[in-house]
Structures are given as C-alpha cells and as structure tokens.
Amino acid sequence: MPNRNAVVDALTQDVIGPGHHYNGARGEVVTMPTGTYEDLQDAMAAVLERVAVAVDWRRLLVEASWRHITVHPDHKEDLARYHSETEGVCGECLVEALLQQRVGAPDWEREPSVAMEHQDVDWAAVVADALPHRRGFIHHEYRTPHRAR
C-alpha cells in the first residue's frame, strides 16, 4: 500500500540520514549493505504496525469528523450527525486528530490546529543513544523473522 511504503521509507531515511544513495536500476542501496537496509526497513515496518495497533481508530474518526465540521464551514450543517457519520473527513483533519495531545474532547474552535513541537527532534539519534540501555529481546506478535543472508 502506498501509505505504508511512504511511512516506512520516510522512517528508514530518517535513520540512515542524508548521503546514502539508492540505485533504482539495481534495486539496492549502494552506500550501505543491502541486507542491513532491508533489516532497517523491516524494523520501521514493525514501528508502523505497532502505531497502527495503538491508535483508537474509532475515536480518531470521531474527533477528525468533529474538527472537519467545526473548521470547514461548508460542513457545519452536519454537526448533528457527526457521531455516526465520518465520510468526507479530509486528511488534514485526520492528521490534526491523530496529533492532538489533550485528553477529552478537543475544542477545535478555540484551537483548530495542534502545535508540531517535535519536528526538529533527531529521533533516530535519540533512539541510538538509548540502545545501550536496552535489556534483552522484546517479543511482540508483529515481529518479522530475521532474514537469512
């Protein structure tokens, strides 16, 4: 699926950083071992799967539809039925609902957008710094078996 691949590719690129080159004709990264790159993509897919399972999608759709009706004035007449109908919700409203940090019903009229406070965090470096503190193997049901080389 294009969304899955886009997320996995973005996370992978954040981890390996700039300066790596991908040869599309040969289908491999030329500046690092292909097996390592594939293992990294598997790891990023595992992160995405854990996030997808952690999201309360029903609540996300309700909050996104509430925002959509509130922020986009052409949908205000649908306010009475926002709980039962979520079709027509735009991507912007889904993103804002997903990133909302406040507990309870957000006041989309007062705060129509969520501050993107973590865009400058080098999350891959933070994760790398934390790895020496990791204790053993953590199993979860979405782990893909390690590839044989």
Side-chain angles (χ1 to χ4, degrees), residues 72-94:
H72 303 292
D74 55 326
H75 293 283
K76 284 208 185 249
E77 67 277 0
D78 297 333
L79 187 60
R81 55 191 174 126
Y82 81 93
H83 276 295
S84 61
E85 188 175 313
T86 57
E87 73 179 47
V89 175
C90 66
E92 171 193 333
C93 291
L94 286 169

Side-chain angles (χ1 to χ4, degrees), residues 26 29 32 39 48 62 66 93 105 120 133-134 146:
R26 291 192 342 220
V29 175
M32 69 186 290
D39 287 346
L48 174 59
V62 167
W66 190 356
C93 291
D120 296 328
H133 303 286
R134 181 180 176 160
H146 189 64

